[in-house]
Amino acid sequence: GEDVEQSLFLSVREGDSSVINCTYTDSSSTYLYWYKQEPGAGLQLLTYIFSNMDMKQDQRLTVLLNKKDKHLSLRIADTQTGDSAIYFCAESIDQAGTALIFGKGTTLSVSS
Amino acid sequence: GAVVSQHPSRVICKSGTSVKIECRSLDFQATTMFWYRQFPKQSLMLMATSNEGSKATYEQGVEKDKFLINHASLTLSTLTVTSAHPEDSSFYICSARARGRDQPQHFGDGTRLSIL
């Protein structure tokens, strides 16, 4: 079945780069997503990548996809205290890109 | 763009009460809406998928008579938790997706439901 795994915690210092990793099992995934959740709030879409892409960059965010290894990463450059949140990796599991399977989330803690 | 509004943000009520949660897409037409449940420090669990004008599709283990979903228009879906009990206390989050293959899901801010 489908499974998305992430490390649970990451702690970095302000100004450093953060790299959050994710692995997935469904090779037919069409899109892979990164969402951010702040305490008590819903999920904010950060970025997403189509499965035939290797990399996508958007300002401080860089997504790398290794489809062979089914590995996705999110790099946040110049991490700020406001980046502290839970980051969820998700894959779409049908061709229409509708249903999502989420990882358990990585809690990013940024210290000043 | 792509704003999803969820209301109310927090509900506290007595056991046996039915609670309705609204999910609205404010600046786009949502052909598909999703309802998730999130337990503390856990990931999101998909409860059901609803397409405008048709019955919702529930995930295995989710009681359709307990969690009533109505997607009456392209901008509004509602989740009603009927005869809520303490074990229904949770964080409920909706998402909405516009028509088209490349459209991602956009999430509301969630509803914290507490049943006493």
Side-chain angles (χ1 to χ4, degrees):
Chain A
E2 309 91 6
D3 197 12
V4 177
E5 295 195 357
Q6 304 176 234
S7 52
L8 294 182
F9 298 100
L10 177 64
S11 182
V12 300
R13 295 179 70 88
E14 192 173 23
D16 289 348
S17 291
S18 307
V19 179
I20 302 171
N21 294 301
C22 170
T23 58
Y24 60 98
T25 57
D26 193 333
S27 57
S28 63
S29 295
T30 51
Y31 289 93
L32 294 128
Y33 303 81
W34 285 104
Y35 285 89
K36 176 183 179 182
Q37 185 179 36
E38 297 185 9
L43 272 67
Q44 173 194 354
L45 177 65
L46 290 178
T47 186
Y48 61 104
I49 188 169
F50 188 47
S51 59
N52 69 353
M53 297 169 64
D54 298 321
M55 186 189 87
K56 182 178 180 182
Q57 186 162 3
D58 184 3
Q59 299 182 331
R60 292 191 297 122
L61 305 179
T62 302
V63 179
L64 294 178
L65 174 61
N66 182 327
K67 196 172 181 180
K68 175 174 171 289
D69 294 338
K70 300 190 186 70
H71 182 267
L72 182 75
S73 68
L74 174 70
R75 179 177 181 270
I76 305 173
D78 187 26
T79 313
Q80 303 298 307
T81 54
D83 295 324
S84 294
I86 301 175
Y87 291 80
F88 289 96
C89 167
E91 61 171 345
S92 61
I93 58 170
D94 61 14
Q95 286 300 310
T98 54
L100 293 180
I101 296 293
F102 285 86
K104 285 186 165 49
T106 298
T107 299
L108 174 63
S109 176
V110 183
S111 58
S112 55
Chain B
V3 177
V4 175
S5 173
Q6 191 172 336
H7 178 80
S9 58
R10 181 162 187 133
V11 179
I12 302 173
C13 57
K14 294 180 180 178
S15 184
T17 307
S18 292
V19 179
K20 180 185 283 189
I21 303 169
E22 291 188 350
C23 181
R24 293 181 186 272
S25 57
L26 297 186
D27 52 0
F28 67 100
Q29 292 188 326
T31 52
T32 308
M33 286 186 167
F34 304 84
W35 287 95
Y36 294 85
R37 185 171 178 176
Q38 186 180 30
F39 293 99
K41 301 189 187 302
Q42 295 291 318
S43 186
L44 281 72
M45 181 190 77
L46 179 65
M47 297 174 66
T49 303
S50 74
N51 291 294
E52 187 265 338
S54 60
K55 289 184 179 179
T57 302
Y58 289 80
E59 295 299 302
Q60 192 172 11
V62 179
E63 300 175 58
K64 60 179 68 175
D65 294 331
K66 175 76 170 175
F67 299 99
L68 300 179
I69 292 171
N70 185 291
H71 191 165
S73 76
L74 283 172
T75 59
L76 174 64
S77 176
T78 60
L79 167 68
T80 301
V81 183
T82 62
S83 186
H85 289 95
E87 59 267 27
D88 299 322
S89 298
S90 192
F91 192 57
Y92 293 86
I93 309 178
C94 74
S95 71
R97 183 178 179 273
R99 188 190 310 276
R101 184 184 173 86
D102 297 340
Q103 300 302 314
Q105 292 183 33
H106 297 278
F107 285 77
D109 281 338
T111 297
R112 173 74 58 194
L113 176 62
S114 301
I115 307 297
L116 305 177

